[in-house]
Amino acid sequence: MVVEGLLLIIPFLLVRKFCGGFHFQSPVLCGILSAALQFPCVFIKDRHGLGNNK
């Protein structure tokens, strides 16, 4: 699951860095809300078995 996490986070960080978007005043708040937005994606993937080649 570490590889999947990195594959989710790296493109997200690159898009956010080079495309701009909504900015929070605190990097900590930004990190917390970014993780909160990514968690449902990972949860749904694991819950429904999406992307498994079994």
Side-chain angles (χ1 to χ4, degrees), residues 12 22 24 28-38:
F12 180 76
F22 187 79
F24 289 98
V28 173
L29 182 59
C30 181
I32 291 169
L33 291 175
S34 294
L37 288 172
Q38 292 176 12

Side-chain angles (χ1 to χ4, degrees), residues 5-53:
L6 291 174
L7 290 174
L8 176 69
I9 293 170
I10 291 172
F12 180 76
L13 292 174
L14 292 173
V15 168
R16 189 174 66 189
K17 179 176 176 119
F18 294 110
C19 293
F22 187 79
H23 298 279
F24 289 98
Q25 292 190 11
S26 167
V28 173
L29 182 59
C30 181
I32 291 169
L33 291 175
S34 294
L37 288 172
Q38 292 176 12
F39 177 75
C41 297
V42 175
F43 178 76
I44 290 168
K45 180 218 173 274
D46 288 344
R47 178 87 170 154
H48 297 288
L50 301 173
N52 291 339
N53 294 326

